[in-house]
Amino acid sequence: MKKAWSFWCAVALLLPPGISSAQSQLLKIATGELPPYATESRPDKGIALSIVRRAFELEGYQVEFTFLPWSRALAESRAGKWDGTAYWGHKPEHDASFFLSDNVITEQWVFVYRNALDFKWKQLDDLRPYRIAMIQDYTYTPEIWAMANKGDLKMEKLPNDVAALKLLLLKRVDIAPMERNTACDLLARNFSPADAAQLSAHPKLMTDSFTTHLMMSRGLPTSAGRVAAFNNGLKKLRASGEYQKLSSQVNCPQGWSDVAKANH
């Protein structure tokens, strides 16, 4: 028995630092639905989550995702119930409670509208005449939320983007801020081609710097090291070319290809 113990101690000493401990750890990460980036409907659980998983795997970790309402995922992760939560747009108020990773993927937020509507905008004040569908837990931009909460925008709070698209088609709202690839995915999977053909995305981005992040609670002693490991894995993923393959898996409805070009 003593010889066996000595043998395994010797093996552990020969392993590169951190490998034995990392490989034994399963990270449990809370997330929510935002297809095609995060969704239970895909085998890979979505583009952004596949990037998170692969970056951790390159550092020797395994990842298990649990899907929750976004607000619950955030609250429970802040309290330390989960090892982390992914993926989130950056808000200054997150900094006090979480360590944030490097950018997982840059999103493209646009306004979706009915083609019959002569919708034009250059600045936020141009949005005042329109009825706007907004999802309570989404980040958007601080400026849009500030105007909405002050009553300067005609806001209709909705539970998800599918509901927003339905109300657009029913003419109960005029515009909906939405991530471009999310809109493409939802229209392709949940609506007919005829319905999709009634909607367009304005080519002007709401913001050109919408970064997204893995977040880990500052209350957990392991978080800082795990975020550092993730960032290192993410760099490896980008350098390998696999990142580009993972981030380009989106099919838009017919007629939306020009929107993709306009946003690059």
Side-chain angles (χ1 to χ4, degrees), residues 111-113 117 119 127 130-133 168 173-177:
F111 287 103
V112 180
Y113 65 98
L117 182 70
F119 174 63
L127 304 178
Y130 302 104
R131 297 167 296 172
I132 307 174
L168 275 173
V173 295
D174 300 315
I175 59 176

Side-chain angles (χ1 to χ4, degrees), residues 60-201:
Y61 290 87
Q62 293 181 316
V63 174
E64 177 182 285
F65 295 109
T66 296
F67 285 81
L68 301 169
W70 285 106
S71 55
R72 180 179 165 192
L74 181 67
E76 292 185 354
S77 297
R78 182 185 289 114
K81 179 175 180 179
W82 305 97
D83 294 311
T85 180
Y87 71 118
W88 293 85
H90 177 244
K91 284 184 177 180
E93 55 262 39
H94 289 159
D95 296 341
S97 303
F98 294 98
F99 293 107
L100 271 67
S101 74
D102 291 342
N103 183 26
V104 174
I105 196 167
T106 300
E107 294 185 350
Q108 300 174 358
W109 284 79
V110 295
F111 287 103
V112 180
Y113 65 98
R114 291 186 306 282
N115 295 335
L117 182 70
D118 184 24
F119 174 63
K120 298 175 183 177
W121 84 284
K122 292 184 178 180
Q123 56 190 11
L124 292 182
D125 277 347
D126 296 334
L127 304 178
R128 291 175 184 268
Y130 302 104
R131 297 167 296 172
I132 307 174
M134 298 181 70
I135 314 305
Q136 184 168 353
D137 295 328
Y138 283 5
T139 302
Y140 300 128
T141 67
E143 296 79 12
I144 287 177
W145 272 122
M147 289 185 68
N149 291 330
K150 283 172 59 180
D152 293 337
L153 297 177
K154 301 171 185 176
M155 175 177 56
E156 180 81 23
K157 285 189 178 181
L158 297 171
N160 54 56
D161 286 324
V162 172
L165 291 169
K166 287 180 178 178
L167 289 197
L168 275 173
L169 291 167
L170 291 170
K171 301 181 181 180
R172 289 174 53 186
V173 295
D174 300 315
I175 59 176
M178 202 169 294
E179 206 285 325
R180 186 193 73 87
N181 288 336
T182 296
C184 289
D185 182 83
L186 292 176
L187 285 170
R189 290 193 297 111
N190 297 280
F191 296 86
S192 69
D195 284 339
Q198 295 182 51
L199 302 177
S200 293

